[in-house]
Amino acid sequence: MTVPDVLVIGAGPAGLAAARAARRRGASVTLLDSSDELGGQYWRHLPPQRPSEREAVLHHGWSAFTALREWLERSAGVTIIRQAYVWAIETREGRPGAVFVVVGEVDGEDRPQLVFEPGALILATGAYDRTLPFPGWDLPGVFTAGAAQALAKGERVAIGRRVVVAGAGPFLLPVAASLAATGSTVLGVYEANRTASLIAGWLPRPWQLLRAARKGGELAGYVRGHLRHRIPYRVGKAVIRADGTDRVETVTIASVDAAWSPLAGTEQTIAVDAVCVGHGFTPRLELAIAAGCALSDDDFVWVDERQQTSIPLVFAAGEVTGIGGVDLALAEGEIAGHLAAGGSIQDAALAPALAHRRTYRSFASRIENAHGVAGGWSEWLTPDTVVCRCEEVTYGVLCDAASATGGASLRSLKLSSRAGLGICQGRVCGRTIEDLIAKRAPGLAGGPGHSDAPVSSAADRVRTDRRPIAVPIRLGELAAEPTPLSSPSLSDRLRERHP
Amino acid sequence: MTSFRLPPCDDPVRPAEVPGIRIALDGRTVEGVDGQSIAGVILGSGILAWRTTSKNARPRGVFCGIGVCFDCLVEVNGARDVRACQRRARDGDVVTTQYDELPVRVRAAPFEEVPDDRA
Ligand SMILES: Cc1cc2nc3c(=O)[nH]c(=O)nc-3n(C[C@H](O)[C@H](O)[C@H](O)COP(=O)(O)OP(=O)(O)OC[C@H]3O[C@@H](n4cnc5c(N)ncnc54)[C@H](O)[C@@H]3O)c2cc1C
Ligand code: FES
């Protein structure tokens, strides 16, 4: 049996592990990432221009990353292309479609275009923060939790001196730890979920926590770090507004009930120079949708036990298939890479990865149970709260559009209000708008795709996650002829990092 | 008090001391270090906002920090709509803040998923 050429999109933990596993099975592997550094979100690090001997201070598993990177960089048969923006994938019945890429500076001009026709494709495009709106969240000085983390890890820039961290989920802990290590005073970490749900999520099967010992240990480490930095961790509390004229000056924190409804009379206002907020993550689905992959009923890429999507020879791994953290991403990546290169799930070499996946998946579902978003948050919106940041559409305008259009489709609601139609293509507000509309007009935002996997064909979804052009490219680039992989300008770029 | 870049001497990560770079932000000199993003240089110097929104003329800067939200758009050396959080700064870059009174979406229109029922 011939081993297919494997194309991996995304060089975060999942993509790196996938590329190595596929190469180990003998496949010729190409690994693409839009960043000029490998590592994805988790292992975001200082650039080579600013080397540091102690990078590991900010990272768990840093040596695992450097070993993985070195292995891939040294392997003949692995081509790594950095600054490669995959902007489109063709849908093909029964196999991967052509993959279109521009290579060069971000949002640059006249970048060469590449087209791949891979034998097997692995999507490892990860996820990004989901931040729920609140009054004043559009003020400068309000950041996503991921932004605070990326600036701290990648640049040693702190978003402010006096900072509040808020939202939901265990990710808030490493963010607060990084901020403290970057010189910020973290005034508090405010987790919207309450002790009861945290205990319910974390405690019924404590042995599972032990088996996920690495993750448990990592979280325990953050808690110890917080004690050392005296960072208060408060549960059942949310940032419900931010105020200031041209930048955030204060935030208001309130207690919330188990459904995240703010409790009147509990508001407390504190002076801050920055606040970072994250309520979980949204998968980067656009390439998977373009490739024709079905989504699961919770709107991730649906995969079978082999990490294969509904399209044969298109695999997916990491947070694009479900939020589970770095260890799950690594295990899924390894499985996807092995199978994409023609391996079998029965192969003995895969047993440890399969065991890890089982452990970390159950861990992940407990985290989701403990920290998931509850519906009461919309009560902290006011009519003039911006819900779509790009088009500056307020909650009031969205509600008016919903009443005016009656039972019309989600699409016409978006067209009449312009919510979700701005330059971010609904990446930031898409799910929020759907949730708000679903609340006001139940049944509207759902549509096909909310039934059992894998029947939800992406093609007939009228949802926010469909973006035929996945990354911005310029019109001139769209019109240009593809560059052969062997062209001199491109091979220079490929050599740059391979001394 | 605002955003800042941690000096290497105070930094537990101990990044190497590296050459400084300068960019011009609307004609004003802003200093950073090699390898930073344009947004990182600006934030590191204590400036939180640079873009002005089309509809309400409100200030914006970094929101997502990872290239997703497009709040940080700037013009760099004459090219518009560059995500400042993603583009590495080079010494001498001329950065101009953007205020598009016509929505940026006009430029992005061919990419929208707006379907045929628009008319
Ligand atoms: C900003 C941020 C910071 C985070 N920091 C932490 C942390 O400190 N600790 C923690 O436990 N978890 C963190 N997370 C959670 C994190 O997402 C996971 O733990 C882990 O990184 C998931 O791995 P992954 O391989 O699935 O995806 P990612 O690490 O997200 O990797 C996906 C990769 O795909 C690339 N990509 C996406 N689309 C394209 C495209 N169209 N073309 C080319 N390349 C593309 C991206 O550039 C990225 O490198 C963070 C998440 C975010 C958003
Ligand atoms: S801050 Fe979101 S794209 Fe740059």
Side-chain angles (χ1 to χ4, degrees):
Chain A
M1 179 183 154
T2 57
V3 178
D5 288 353
V6 175
L7 181 69
V8 182
I9 305 175
L16 293 170
R20 180 170 61 184
R23 181 63 207 137
R24 279 188 171 154
R25 281 269 322 154
S28 158
V29 175
T30 304
L31 174 62
L32 307 177
D33 199 289
S34 52
S35 171
D36 56 3
E37 292 292 321
L38 306 183
Q41 304 304 350
Y42 189 81
W43 286 312
R44 185 182 291 274
H45 53 275
L46 285 164
Q49 297 94 314
R50 260 175 109 185
S52 147
E53 291 297 307
R54 305 188 56 204
E55 192 81 49
V57 169
L58 290 177
H59 292 271
H60 287 265
W62 180 248
S63 58
F65 166 61
T66 53
L68 198 47
R69 180 176 60 185
E70 214 163 290
W71 192 94
L72 291 168
E73 283 177 339
R74 288 192 177 179
S75 294
V78 177
T79 305
I80 302 174
I81 310 182
R82 296 168 171 86
Q83 295 191 302
Y85 302 83
V86 179
W87 63 270
I89 301 184
E90 276 175 1
T91 310
R92 246 179 234 160
E93 205 56 51
R95 65 192 175 99
V99 175
F100 296 84
V101 185
V102 288
V103 183
E105 259 189 328
V106 65
D107 301 332
E109 292 173 311
D110 305 322
R111 294 169 294 184
Q113 189 178 143
L114 296 177
V115 181
F116 292 89
E117 292 275 0
L121 175 64
I122 302 177
L123 302 166
T125 49
Y128 55 88
D129 287 79
R130 174 166 186 204
T131 297
L132 300 173
F134 51 87
W137 75 313
D138 49 333
L139 284 169
V142 179
F143 297 84
T144 67
Q149 183 73 330
L151 287 160
K153 279 185 171 180
E155 311 216 17
R156 307 304 291 134
V157 165
I159 56 170
R161 302 265 171 204
R162 289 169 50 84
V163 179
V164 156
V165 177
F171 180 50
L172 302 180
L173 299 173
V175 171
S178 295
L179 279 165
T182 312
S184 298
T185 300
V186 180
L187 302 172
V189 177
Y190 298 92
E191 160 71 51
N193 290 296
R194 300 162 73 89
T195 318
S197 99
L198 297 181
I199 290 177
W202 286 90
L203 288 187
R205 281 180 294 251
W207 61 90
Q208 287 184 351
L209 195 61
L210 281 181
R211 251 187 279 143
R214 224 151 31 105
K215 195 74 194 176
E218 181 180 331
L219 292 175
Y222 293 131
V223 172
R224 279 196 297 278
H226 285 212
L227 292 177
R228 193 171 65 244
H229 290 291
R230 297 179 190 284
I231 301 174
Y233 183 66
R234 306 253 189 267
V235 298
K237 292 200 179 274
V239 167
I240 59 160
R241 61 180 298 125
D243 288 282
T245 40
D246 282 333
R247 53 166 298 167
V248 62
E249 289 159 24
T250 61
V251 292
T252 300
I253 290 159
S255 297
V256 294
D257 67 14
W260 292 22
S261 299
L263 301 172
T266 61
E267 298 85 357
Q268 174 201 0
T269 297
I270 26 185
V272 295
D273 33 61
V275 53
C276 65
V277 186
H279 299 95
F281 292 94
T282 307
R284 278 197 209 238
L285 293 178
E286 50 266 350
L287 293 180
I289 291 178
C293 305
L295 303 185
S296 61
D297 52 1
D298 51 357
D299 284 334
F300 289 92
V301 178
W302 180 88
V303 287
D304 64 14
E305 56 160 8
R306 297 169 301 164
Q307 299 294 136
Q308 186 166 261
T309 68
S310 60
I311 303 283
L313 293 169
V314 177
F315 296 79
E319 305 226 298
V320 74
T321 68
I323 303 305
V326 61
D327 297 300
L328 183 57
L330 286 167
E332 290 178 351
E334 186 176 340
I335 297 164
H338 186 86
L339 283 130
S344 154
I345 194 134
Q346 315 290 352
D347 292 341
L350 218 50
L354 291 168
H356 280 140
R357 183 176 67 180
R358 212 173 308 122
T359 303
Y360 293 116
R361 270 206 187 140
S362 71
F363 185 75
S365 69
R366 297 174 55 184
I367 295 218
E368 174 57 28
N369 288 341
H371 293 279
V373 171
W377 65 268
S378 61
E379 292 168 30
W380 67 56
L381 300 178
T382 59
D384 59 355
T385 305
V386 166
V387 289
C388 165
R389 299 172 62 93
C390 298
E391 297 286 310
E392 303 178 88
V393 180
T394 62
Y395 182 50
V397 166
L398 187 72
C399 293
D400 291 347
S403 328
T405 44
S409 69
L410 174 62
R411 180 185 291 171
S412 62
L413 233 167
K414 289 208 272 174
L415 286 174
S416 64
S417 68
R418 298 229 38 93
L421 295 183
I423 190 169
C424 91
Q425 298 183 294
R427 286 180 172 86
V428 175
C429 71
R431 302 248 160 144
T432 293
I433 305 280
E434 282 179 12
D435 284 358
L436 291 173
I437 289 173
K439 215 173 233 185
R440 298 190 65 85
L444 198 70
H450 280 255
S451 47
D452 284 346
V455 294
S456 61
S457 160
D460 36 71
R461 298 175 63 104
V462 188
R463 292 294 294 267
T464 353
D465 294 316
R466 185 145 57 84
R467 299 178 188 99
I469 306 248
V471 296
I473 65 169
R474 311 237 177 214
L475 288 176
E477 295 171 328
L478 202 57
E481 283 293 307
T483 315
L485 195 51
S486 55
S487 90
S489 67
L490 210 66
S491 38
D492 282 352
R493 180 181 303 284
L494 296 181
R495 256 199 311 276
E496 265 166 34
R497 296 298 183 77
H498 298 270
Chain B
M1 288 302 192
T2 183
S3 51
F4 60 93
R5 177 166 42 81
L6 188 64
C9 55
D10 297 337
D11 194 335
V13 177
R14 297 264 176 270
E17 298 267 4
V18 294
I21 57 167
R22 290 170 169 210
I23 64 171
L25 177 66
D26 289 339
R28 160 180 177 189
T29 301
V30 180
E31 295 185 13
V33 297
D34 203 15
Q36 279 192 286
S37 68
I38 288 175
V41 169
I42 304 176
L43 282 171
S45 75
I47 300 168
L48 273 182
W50 46 92
R51 191 170 70 88
T52 304
T53 63
S54 301
K55 191 166 151 198
N56 299 333
R58 298 292 296 154
R60 294 277 172 90
V62 161
F63 179 61
C64 75
I66 59 165
V68 171
C69 75
F70 295 77
D71 256 351
C72 64
L73 293 183
V74 287
E75 182 179 315
V76 182
N77 304 326
R80 301 175 50 79
D81 297 341
V82 175
R83 282 166 289 171
C85 69
Q86 298 295 289
R87 174 70 73 87
R88 299 246 190 233
R90 292 214 208 93
D91 194 36
D93 274 344
V94 176
V95 178
T96 311
T97 54
Q98 288 191 200
Y99 175 22
D100 302 294
E101 288 181 74
L102 261 182
V104 185
R105 99 177 91 90
V106 168
R107 222 181 323 279
F111 307 162
E112 277 179 17
E113 56 164 318
V114 179
D116 21 72
D117 66 350
R118 192 175 196 188

